[in-house]
Amino acid sequence: MKKAKSEPPASEGRIVAMGGGGFSMEPENPLLDRYVLRLARSPRPRICFLQPGDSPSYFERFYAAFSRLPCEPAHLSLFSGGVADVRGFLLGQEVIYVGGGNTKSMLAVWREWGLDTILREAWRSGAILTGLSAGAICWFGQGLTDSIPGSLTPLPCLGLLPGSACPHYDSEAERRPTYRAMVASGALADGYAADDGVGLHFIGERLHRVVSSRPHARAYRVERVGDQARETEIVPEFLGGRILFDTIGKIA
Protein backbone atom coordinates (compact mmCIF):
# COMPACT_ATOMS: atom_id res chain seq x y z
CA MET A 1 0.00 0.00 0.00
CA LYS A 2 1.31 3.45 -0.91
CA LYS A 3 2.51 5.39 2.10
CA ALA A 4 0.63 8.63 2.71
CA LYS A 5 2.59 11.84 2.36
CA SER A 6 3.43 13.22 5.80
CA GLU A 7 2.51 16.77 6.73
CA PRO A 8 5.36 19.20 7.48
CA PRO A 9 5.72 20.35 11.09
CA ALA A 10 3.56 23.39 11.88
CA SER A 11 6.73 25.26 12.85
CA GLU A 12 7.85 25.25 9.21
CA GLY A 13 6.29 28.44 7.97
CA ARG A 14 4.56 28.39 4.60
CA ILE A 15 4.47 31.19 2.04
CA VAL A 16 2.74 31.28 -1.35
CA ALA A 17 4.10 34.19 -3.38
CA MET A 18 2.03 34.94 -6.48
CA GLY A 19 3.49 36.75 -9.48
CA GLY A 20 -0.02 38.01 -10.14
CA GLY A 21 -3.51 36.56 -10.08
CA GLY A 22 -5.82 35.72 -7.23
CA PHE A 23 -9.18 37.38 -6.64
CA SER A 24 -8.09 40.91 -7.57
CA MET A 25 -6.65 40.01 -10.98
CA GLU A 26 -8.64 36.87 -11.82
CA PRO A 27 -12.04 37.30 -10.17
CA GLU A 28 -13.54 34.46 -12.24
CA ASN A 29 -10.58 32.12 -11.63
CA PRO A 30 -10.25 31.18 -7.92
CA LEU A 31 -7.70 28.39 -8.44
CA LEU A 32 -4.80 30.08 -6.62
CA ASP A 33 -7.01 31.33 -3.79
CA ARG A 34 -8.52 27.87 -3.32
CA TYR A 35 -5.04 26.36 -3.32
CA VAL A 36 -3.96 28.67 -0.48
CA LEU A 37 -7.04 27.84 1.61
CA ARG A 38 -6.40 24.11 1.17
CA LEU A 39 -3.03 24.53 2.87
CA ALA A 40 -4.73 25.40 6.17
CA ARG A 41 -5.26 22.81 8.89
CA SER A 42 -8.96 23.54 9.38
CA PRO A 43 -11.77 23.15 6.80
CA ARG A 44 -12.87 26.79 7.24
CA PRO A 45 -9.69 28.72 8.00
CA ARG A 46 -9.62 32.27 9.31
CA ILE A 47 -8.12 34.49 6.61
CA CYS A 48 -7.15 38.14 7.01
CA PHE A 49 -6.59 40.53 4.13
CA LEU A 50 -3.95 43.27 4.30
CA GLN A 51 -3.55 45.83 1.54
CA PRO A 52 -0.76 48.36 0.97
CA GLY A 53 -3.25 51.25 1.04
CA ASP A 54 -6.75 51.67 2.41
CA SER A 55 -9.06 51.34 -0.60
CA PRO A 56 -12.62 50.38 0.44
CA SER A 57 -13.23 48.83 -2.99
CA TYR A 58 -10.24 46.49 -2.55
CA PHE A 59 -11.64 45.26 0.76
CA GLU A 60 -15.06 44.84 -0.89
CA ARG A 61 -13.58 42.72 -3.68
CA PHE A 62 -11.83 40.54 -1.11
CA TYR A 63 -15.06 39.87 0.77
CA ALA A 64 -17.01 39.30 -2.44
CA ALA A 65 -14.50 36.63 -3.49
CA PHE A 66 -13.83 34.89 -0.19
CA SER A 67 -17.42 34.89 1.06
CA ARG A 68 -18.00 32.29 -1.68
CA LEU A 69 -15.09 30.11 -0.49
CA PRO A 70 -14.80 27.82 2.58
CA CYS A 71 -13.21 30.26 5.02
CA GLU A 72 -13.88 33.00 7.58
CA PRO A 73 -12.71 36.26 5.96
CA ALA A 74 -11.62 39.36 7.86
CA HIS A 75 -9.42 42.37 7.14
CA LEU A 76 -7.03 44.65 8.95
CA SER A 77 -6.78 48.35 8.16
CA LEU A 78 -3.96 50.38 9.65
CA PHE A 79 -5.61 53.62 8.55
CA SER A 80 -9.24 53.45 9.67
CA GLY A 81 -11.43 51.11 11.69
CA GLY A 82 -8.53 48.99 12.92
CA VAL A 83 -8.17 46.83 16.01
CA ALA A 84 -6.49 47.71 19.31
CA ASP A 85 -4.55 44.44 19.61
CA VAL A 86 -2.96 44.07 16.18
CA ARG A 87 -0.62 41.30 17.27
CA GLY A 88 -3.36 39.22 18.88
CA PHE A 89 -5.62 39.70 15.88
CA LEU A 90 -3.03 38.60 13.32
CA LEU A 91 -1.74 35.69 15.37
CA GLY A 92 -5.32 34.42 15.49
CA GLN A 93 -5.42 34.08 11.70
CA GLU A 94 -4.57 30.90 9.79
CA VAL A 95 -3.96 32.70 6.49
CA ILE A 96 -2.68 36.25 5.97
CA TYR A 97 -3.20 37.52 2.43
CA VAL A 98 -1.46 40.69 1.19
CA GLY A 99 -2.70 42.57 -1.86
CA GLY A 100 -0.90 44.51 -4.55
CA GLY A 101 0.10 48.16 -4.38
CA ASN A 102 3.02 50.34 -3.35
CA THR A 103 5.45 47.97 -1.61
CA LYS A 104 7.80 50.68 -0.35
CA SER A 105 5.01 52.60 1.39
CA MET A 106 3.44 49.38 2.69
CA LEU A 107 6.67 48.21 4.34
CA ALA A 108 7.24 51.63 5.92
CA VAL A 109 3.76 51.55 7.50
CA TRP A 110 4.22 47.94 8.61
CA ARG A 111 7.49 48.75 10.37
CA GLU A 112 5.89 51.70 12.14
CA TRP A 113 3.16 49.41 13.48
CA GLY A 114 5.51 46.50 14.18
CA LEU A 115 3.91 44.26 11.57
CA ASP A 116 7.30 43.19 10.26
CA THR A 117 7.93 41.47 13.61
CA ILE A 118 4.36 40.21 14.00
CA LEU A 119 4.25 38.66 10.54
CA ARG A 120 7.52 36.85 11.15
CA GLU A 121 6.06 35.50 14.40
CA ALA A 122 2.89 34.38 12.62
CA TRP A 123 4.97 32.63 9.94
CA ARG A 124 7.06 30.80 12.53
CA SER A 125 3.88 29.78 14.33
CA GLY A 126 2.50 28.04 11.24
CA ALA A 127 0.33 30.69 9.61
CA ILE A 128 0.23 30.71 5.82
CA LEU A 129 1.47 33.99 4.35
CA THR A 130 0.44 34.78 0.80
CA GLY A 131 -0.22 37.54 -1.66
CA LEU A 132 0.40 38.89 -5.13
CA SER A 133 2.75 41.52 -6.52
CA ALA A 134 3.63 43.65 -3.46
CA GLY A 135 2.17 40.81 -1.41
CA ALA A 136 4.63 38.40 -3.06
CA ILE A 137 7.94 40.27 -3.07
CA CYS A 138 7.50 41.57 0.49
CA TRP A 139 8.46 38.19 1.99
CA PHE A 140 11.88 38.06 0.25
CA GLY A 141 15.14 39.75 1.12
CA GLN A 142 14.70 42.02 -1.90
CA GLY A 143 12.16 42.71 -4.59
CA LEU A 144 11.95 44.52 -7.90
CA THR A 145 9.34 47.23 -7.36
CA ASP A 146 7.58 49.98 -9.28
CA SER A 147 6.88 51.87 -6.04
CA ILE A 148 8.63 54.94 -7.48
CA PRO A 149 6.51 56.03 -10.46
CA GLY A 150 8.18 55.60 -13.82
CA SER A 151 10.97 53.27 -12.73
CA LEU A 152 11.74 49.77 -11.52
CA THR A 153 14.10 49.70 -8.56
CA PRO A 154 15.50 47.23 -5.99
CA LEU A 155 13.80 47.32 -2.60
CA PRO A 156 14.89 45.72 0.70
CA CYS A 157 11.99 43.66 2.03
CA LEU A 158 11.17 41.53 5.10
CA GLY A 159 13.73 38.79 4.50
CA LEU A 160 11.66 35.79 5.55
CA LEU A 161 12.76 34.18 2.30
CA PRO A 162 16.33 34.53 1.01
CA GLY A 163 17.23 36.22 -2.25
CA SER A 164 15.05 38.38 -4.46
CA ALA A 165 11.77 38.17 -6.37
CA CYS A 166 10.08 39.75 -9.37
CA PRO A 167 6.33 39.56 -10.13
CA HIS A 168 4.41 40.19 -13.38
CA TYR A 169 7.24 38.67 -15.40
CA ASP A 170 5.13 38.09 -18.48
CA SER A 171 2.69 41.00 -18.35
CA GLU A 172 4.87 44.09 -17.82
CA ALA A 173 7.40 44.49 -20.63
CA GLU A 174 10.23 46.04 -18.59
CA ARG A 175 10.16 43.54 -15.73
CA ARG A 176 12.14 40.74 -17.38
CA PRO A 177 15.05 42.75 -18.84
CA THR A 178 15.34 44.91 -15.72
CA TYR A 179 15.32 41.98 -13.32
CA ARG A 180 17.89 40.09 -15.37
CA ALA A 181 20.13 43.18 -15.58
CA MET A 182 19.94 43.83 -11.85
CA VAL A 183 20.72 40.21 -10.96
CA ALA A 184 23.63 40.25 -13.43
CA SER A 185 25.03 43.44 -11.88
CA GLY A 186 24.54 42.29 -8.30
CA ALA A 187 22.03 45.06 -7.54
CA LEU A 188 19.59 42.24 -6.74
CA ALA A 189 20.49 38.84 -5.30
CA ASP A 190 19.71 35.61 -7.15
CA GLY A 191 16.03 34.86 -6.94
CA TYR A 192 12.73 33.90 -8.53
CA ALA A 193 10.53 35.53 -11.14
CA ALA A 194 6.89 34.60 -11.63
CA ASP A 195 4.40 35.20 -14.40
CA ASP A 196 0.88 36.29 -13.55
CA GLY A 197 -1.08 33.28 -12.33
CA VAL A 198 1.94 31.53 -10.77
CA GLY A 199 2.28 30.70 -7.08
CA LEU A 200 5.69 29.92 -5.52
CA HIS A 201 4.97 27.70 -2.51
CA PHE A 202 7.73 27.71 0.10
CA ILE A 203 8.06 25.62 3.23
CA GLY A 204 10.51 27.36 5.49
CA GLU A 205 13.08 28.86 3.12
CA ARG A 206 12.79 25.99 0.61
CA LEU A 207 10.81 26.16 -2.62
CA HIS A 208 8.45 23.21 -2.22
CA ARG A 209 6.12 23.48 -5.19
CA VAL A 210 5.19 25.79 -8.07
CA VAL A 211 1.55 25.97 -9.16
CA SER A 212 -0.45 28.04 -11.60
CA SER A 213 -3.98 29.12 -12.43
CA ARG A 214 -3.06 29.54 -16.11
CA PRO A 215 -1.88 26.61 -18.24
CA HIS A 216 0.97 28.43 -19.98
CA ALA A 217 2.29 30.55 -17.10
CA ARG A 218 5.86 29.96 -15.94
CA ALA A 219 8.28 30.68 -13.11
CA TYR A 220 12.02 31.19 -13.36
CA ARG A 221 15.10 30.85 -11.22
CA VAL A 222 17.39 33.78 -12.10
CA GLU A 223 21.03 33.59 -10.99
CA ARG A 224 24.17 35.62 -11.54
CA VAL A 225 26.88 33.79 -13.48
CA GLY A 226 29.92 35.99 -14.00
CA ASP A 227 28.55 39.26 -15.31
CA GLN A 228 25.45 37.64 -16.84
CA ALA A 229 22.08 36.42 -15.56
CA ARG A 230 21.17 32.76 -16.10
CA GLU A 231 17.44 32.12 -16.30
CA THR A 232 16.10 28.60 -15.67
CA GLU A 233 12.45 27.95 -16.53
CA ILE A 234 10.25 26.19 -13.98
CA VAL A 235 7.06 24.61 -15.35
CA PRO A 236 4.31 24.83 -12.70
CA GLU A 237 1.62 22.31 -11.88
CA PHE A 238 -1.56 23.64 -13.50
CA LEU A 239 -4.34 23.73 -10.91
CA GLY A 240 -7.15 23.54 -13.44
CA GLY A 241 -6.91 19.83 -14.11
CA ARG A 242 -9.85 17.72 -12.93
CA ILE A 243 -7.59 14.89 -11.77
CA LEU A 244 -5.42 17.19 -9.66
CA PHE A 245 -8.42 18.76 -7.95
CA ASP A 246 -10.13 15.44 -7.36
CA THR A 247 -7.06 14.01 -5.61
CA ILE A 248 -5.23 16.96 -4.11
CA GLY A 249 -6.86 16.83 -0.67
CA LYS A 250 -4.89 18.66 1.98
CA ILE A 251 -1.67 20.09 0.58
CA ALA A 252 1.70 20.31 2.30
Side-chain angles (χ1 to χ4, degrees):
M1 187 172 71
K2 188 176 179 180
K3 187 176 179 181
K5 184 179 178 181
S6 60
E7 289 287 327
S11 59
E12 289 192 72
R14 291 167 290 170
I15 292 175
V16 180
M18 306 176 194
F23 75 93
S24 61
M25 288 186 67
E26 299 180 307
E28 304 305 320
N29 183 357
L31 291 175
L32 282 176
D33 293 338
R34 285 186 178 275
Y35 178 83
V36 169
L37 292 177
R38 285 173 178 257
L39 300 181
R41 308 295 183 198
S42 64
R44 289 188 61 84
R46 297 179 301 280
I47 178 171
C48 176
F49 181 56
L50 297 174
Q51 59 161 304
D54 197 40
S55 167
S57 66
Y58 208 170
F59 288 132
E60 289 167 6
R61 283 185 288 156
F62 166 74
Y63 282 108
F66 281 87
S67 64
R68 300 194 297 265
L69 298 177
C71 63
E72 296 178 13
H75 76 277
L76 175 64
S77 171
L78 297 176
F79 298 90
S80 60
V83 298
D85 181 8
V86 172
R87 177 179 176 274
F89 179 74
L90 285 178
L91 293 182
Q93 306 298 318
E94 295 170 80
V95 181
I96 299 172
Y97 193 127
V98 181
N102 190 304
T103 319
K104 185 178 179 71
S105 297
M106 177 183 78
L107 291 173
V109 172
W110 281 6
R111 288 173 178 130
E112 181 66 25
W113 282 85
L115 259 68
D116 52 340
T117 301
I118 295 168
L119 289 169
R120 182 178 292 273
E121 185 179 358
W123 176 63
R124 287 177 171 167
S125 299
I128 299 151
L129 307 182
T130 190
L132 74 153
S133 194
I137 67 174
C138 66
W139 313 117
F140 290 81
Q142 299 171 293
L144 182 66
T145 181
D146 60 358
S147 295
I148 299 171
S151 62
L152 290 169
T153 57
L155 180 70
C157 297
L158 295 180
L160 276 64
L161 299 174
S164 68
C166 177
H168 307 305
Y169 211 52
D170 62 334
S171 62
E172 297 181 7
E174 293 304 312
R175 289 278 182 176
R176 191 173 205 153
T178 303
Y179 187 58
R180 288 175 59 95
M182 288 191 176
V183 170
S185 70
L188 283 170
D190 296 352
Y192 293 95
D195 290 350
D196 291 345
V198 170
L200 304 170
H201 176 181
F202 291 83
I203 297 180
E205 296 182 352
R206 175 178 59 86
L207 183 62
H208 170 69
R209 194 175 197 172
V210 181
V211 298
S212 73
S213 60
R214 304 178 184 185
H216 303 296
R218 295 292 184 265
Y220 302 87
R221 176 68 178 169
V222 183
E223 301 169 289
R224 184 182 185 185
V225 179
D227 60 354
Q228 302 293 318
R230 180 176 63 198
E231 185 179 274
T232 305
E233 182 179 286
I234 303 169
V235 179
E237 298 174 59
F238 176 51
L239 296 173
R242 180 186 298 272
I243 294 175
L244 177 60
F245 255 95
D246 284 347
T247 61
I248 201 167
K250 302 300 280 186
I251 308 166

